[in-house]
Amino acid sequence: MLTLFPEMFPGPLGLSLAGQALDAGIWSLETIQIRDFGLGRHRQVDDTPAGGGAGMVLRADVLGPALDHARTLNPEAPLLYMSPRGAPLTQQAAHAFASGPGVTILAGRFEGIDERVIEHYHLREVSIGDYVLSGGELAAMVLLDSAIRLLPGVIGAAESLDHESFEHGLLEYPHYTKPRDWNGHPTPDVLMSGDHKKIAAWRQAQSEHITAARRPDLLHSGTRPTPAKKP
Ligand code: ADE
């Protein structure tokens, strides 16, 4: 993780599921302080944009040596740059990151980074949504969390991943627990019927209904896998 704010890590990834997996050695994280590669007595990392305008841009002659160093730590890992210009992070991408050799992530600050760094290192730009954060660190944590929870041994029962939103190209069906009646809102009868076939069919219908209402784009995205047949 290349950042100007290594103190932000592991942050929330040190708690809960990801934190337990970190303690168990299922995943690990190394931060690289970009400023260690800064120039001069003040360890300068940024400068004014060529052509003028507001903000500051991270310098190529600082990021280059920082990325060279990062590559020696995990030469196989793809080089990612968190950016609102990037390809949207998807569950499919999270699976690919989780089954790969790890990732090297560059988190930018300020207006951005010198474009030549992206070209020279073939940085893969990844966005976590159509909004702008003040830096790539939180976006990197989102990417890492989405992949870490898919690593073997992080979530106990494989069952709990299988029905999740996006795993079959649909949003997840609603959940209920006790009490049977709460403030005049009953649990749907079908869930109390004990008929597992009927329950599965109801959940599938709920998933399709909720997806059609909230995210019709998912139904027509062509990314829906055919449901796996249960043995
Ligand atoms: N950095 C700033 N905004 C971002 C976003 N939406 N996704 C990824 N990285 C970012």
Side-chain angles (χ1 to χ4, degrees):
M1 187 68 230
L2 293 102
T3 169
L4 285 164
F5 298 97
E7 327 77 76
M8 286 175 78
F9 293 88
L13 300 177
L15 302 169
S16 189
L17 276 180
Q20 286 163 24
L22 181 62
D23 292 341
I26 293 175
W27 69 284
S28 64
L29 173 104
E30 198 153 339
T31 54
I32 295 168
Q33 169 56 276
I34 294 169
R35 197 166 295 283
D36 289 348
F37 298 85
L39 307 172
R41 205 158 57 86
H42 297 294
R43 299 242 162 259
Q44 189 186 345
V45 294
D46 57 347
D47 222 314
T48 52
M56 297 291 267
V57 178
L58 290 173
R59 292 177 61 122
D61 51 358
V62 171
L63 293 177
L67 282 162
D68 290 339
H69 172 63
R71 279 210 295 198
T72 65
L73 301 178
N74 190 352
E76 305 299 315
L79 296 176
L80 312 183
Y81 170 49
M82 304 313 299
S83 154
R85 285 192 337 189
L89 177 65
T90 60
Q91 189 67 11
Q92 205 181 348
H95 276 286
F97 293 135
S99 59
V103 286
T104 297
I105 309 179
L106 171 61
R109 285 264 147 186
F110 318 110
E111 288 310 297
I113 69 176
D114 192 304
E115 187 71 17
R116 292 169 291 181
V117 177
I118 299 173
E119 290 165 7
H120 182 80
Y121 290 93
H122 302 290
L123 297 185
R124 175 169 161 192
E125 296 183 69
V126 182
S127 167
I128 65 157
D130 292 342
Y131 41 81
V132 180
L133 305 170
S134 39
E137 286 82 3
L138 285 173
M141 286 181 205
V142 167
L143 183 150
L144 289 171
D145 185 75
S146 74
I148 289 164
R149 60 193 296 285
L150 300 175
L151 294 172
V154 175
I155 291 183
E159 184 69 12
S160 51
L161 285 173
D162 189 50
H163 292 284
E164 279 185 345
S165 290
F166 309 114
E167 288 296 342
H168 297 291
L170 293 174
L171 300 179
E172 200 175 8
Y173 52 77
H175 299 281
Y176 300 86
T177 184
K178 295 181 182 78
R180 173 92 204 247
D181 276 289
W182 178 72
N183 281 357
H185 307 280
T187 301
D189 284 336
V190 59
L191 298 179
M192 311 309 291
S193 68
D195 184 336
H196 296 293
K197 252 180 130 165
K198 230 163 98 180
I199 291 170
W202 180 83
R203 286 177 167 164
Q204 177 69 21
Q206 286 286 313
S207 272
E208 287 169 10
H209 176 75
I210 290 171
T211 307
R214 300 183 188 178
R215 293 291 306 278
D217 56 301
L218 290 177
L219 296 174
H220 309 295
S221 65
T223 56
R224 255 182 96 190
T226 39
K229 285 213 172 68
K230 287 265 147 70

